[in-house]
Amino acid sequence: MKKVLLIAVVLIAMVAVLSACRQGEDSDLITVRVSEVTRSVFYAPQYVAIAMGFFEDEGLSIDLFTSDGADRVMTALLTGAADIGFSGPEATIYVFNEGRTDHAVVFAQVTKRDGSFLIAREPMPNFTWDDIRGAHVLPGRRGGMPFMALEYVTRMHGILPDVDVTFDTSIAFAAMVSAFVNGTGDFVTAFEPVASTIEAEGRGFVVASVGEASGEIPYTAYYALASFIEANPEVIQGFTNALYRGQRWTLENSAADIARVIAPFFPEADPVIMENAIARYKEIDAFSATPIMTRESFDRMQRVMESAGELTQRAPFERLVDNRFAEIAVGR
């Protein structure tokens, strides 16, 4: 028994030494846990910043995980599973309006319009939004930005949800494309590279860009709890600095170059599909040039939420958006 205990103690000591050595090697990097809403080339600036070492240059190591939905991203943030959330900023408004004292605050914007594409079962080269009248559409989770942006577009074209078109929200966001491919619905919305993959496989055809039709909206942003920002301003600043470098690199380089850099984040994706997907986002001007979120765009997002019936009380820009770090990053 003593021999067994001695061996156990030695093994524990070895593990402790190895752990200490590892911590010593990485002691100059601060780990930041980031929960992203989904994995998509729509977030190319984020993956560029990680792959190019921009975060490491700021002394940060990014622990990135996908939560599949803005509600789950916010849950990860509120429960302490994540330090930073990355999703549609509508999630911060919902939490603020619930009366939470330590609420989430946006500190950097990444995309400036909806990144989803409307996919039909057959090619529709002359598609108009009037073509979805009477259709069965899989639009995403009610209350989420993909759903609200699509609903906003249909209303702009005089098509009333649940009257002129059926929006089926019974299927989870992560399962929508699978359900469509297996026969559910006439249309589905999907982000890239999923949309291009479906098209390449002949299982659906992109007929419209929701973001191009809806106009500019602060669609995806980073946020953290107010307490975390107050306690870790150097982390938030370094994070924003790295992101801004990723944004500039994305805007200044070709779709092919971007696809090569972010390929490790999409190990199963076809390189050609990746390049086409990124080109689509560049064509609709989806990526924000800077991490600064404007009051005008924030107000427009709230109008979209009101139009969807998901917002009864507007949240103040000053309480939910902190541009200090973005302004410093851009002005460096």
Side-chain angles (χ1 to χ4, degrees), residues 237-271:
Q237 188 62 68
F239 191 99
T240 310
N241 293 344
L243 170 66
Y244 179 47
R245 289 180 66 189
Q247 288 178 307
R248 286 187 299 168
W249 198 96
T250 300
L251 291 177
E252 293 168 0
N253 287 272
S254 69
D257 288 338
I258 296 168
R260 282 193 292 271
V261 168
I262 70 174
F265 294 93
F266 304 87
E268 298 180 2
D270 181 283

Side-chain angles (χ1 to χ4, degrees), residues 183-198:
T184 302
D186 303 307
F187 296 90
V188 67
T189 56
F191 288 80
E192 292 287 12
V194 175
S196 289
T197 300
I198 294 173

Side-chain angles (χ1 to χ4, degrees), residues 51-266:
M52 299 288 286
F54 297 157
F55 286 106
E56 291 182 1
D57 290 346
E58 297 291 337
L60 304 177
S61 173
I62 304 302
D63 178 8
L64 182 67
F65 61 96
T66 305
S67 294
D68 290 322
D71 52 340
R72 293 182 179 180
V73 171
M74 184 57 75
T75 296
L77 192 74
L78 297 179
T79 58
D83 303 310
I84 292 174
F86 182 49
S87 75
E90 79 282 355
T92 66
I93 295 175
Y94 293 141
V95 169
F96 179 84
N97 282 347
E98 288 173 357
R100 183 181 174 92
T101 303
D102 189 16
H103 57 86
V105 176
V106 171
F107 63 87
Q109 181 175 327
V110 179
T111 61
K112 60 180 181 180
R113 65 179 73 245
D114 189 296
S116 58
F117 295 87
L118 187 68
I119 300 171
R121 295 198 174 279
E122 301 293 336
M124 301 177 69
N126 300 313
F127 173 85
T128 67
W129 285 98
D130 202 55
D131 290 330
I132 70 169
R133 285 185 184 275
H136 179 188
V137 183
L138 309 185
R141 179 180 60 84
R142 187 176 293 277
M145 280 309 297
F147 176 90
M148 292 189 291
L150 178 61
E151 189 176 52
Y152 181 69
V153 170
T154 60
R155 288 183 184 277
M156 285 171 56
H157 290 83
I159 302 166
L160 300 180
D162 302 321
V163 175
D164 301 315
V165 59
T166 298
F167 282 159
D168 183 352
T169 59
S170 66
I171 300 172
F173 177 79
M176 290 194 313
V177 170
S178 176
F180 176 79
V181 168
N182 286 300
T184 302
D186 303 307
F187 296 90
V188 67
T189 56
F191 288 80
E192 292 287 12
V194 175
S196 289
T197 300
I198 294 173
E199 203 166 40
E201 295 172 349
R203 298 190 292 178
F205 301 86
V206 172
V207 296
S209 161
V210 178
E212 190 172 37
S214 67
E216 290 192 17
I217 301 171
Y219 199 80
T220 325
Y222 290 102
Y223 48 85
L225 294 180
S227 59
F228 183 87
I229 294 175
E230 182 178 359
N232 302 278
E234 72 290 343
V235 170
I236 299 298
Q237 188 62 68
F239 191 99
T240 310
N241 293 344
L243 170 66
Y244 179 47
R245 289 180 66 189
Q247 288 178 307
R248 286 187 299 168
W249 198 96
T250 300
L251 291 177
E252 293 168 0
N253 287 272
S254 69
D257 288 338
I258 296 168
R260 282 193 292 271
V261 168
I262 70 174
F265 294 93
F266 304 87

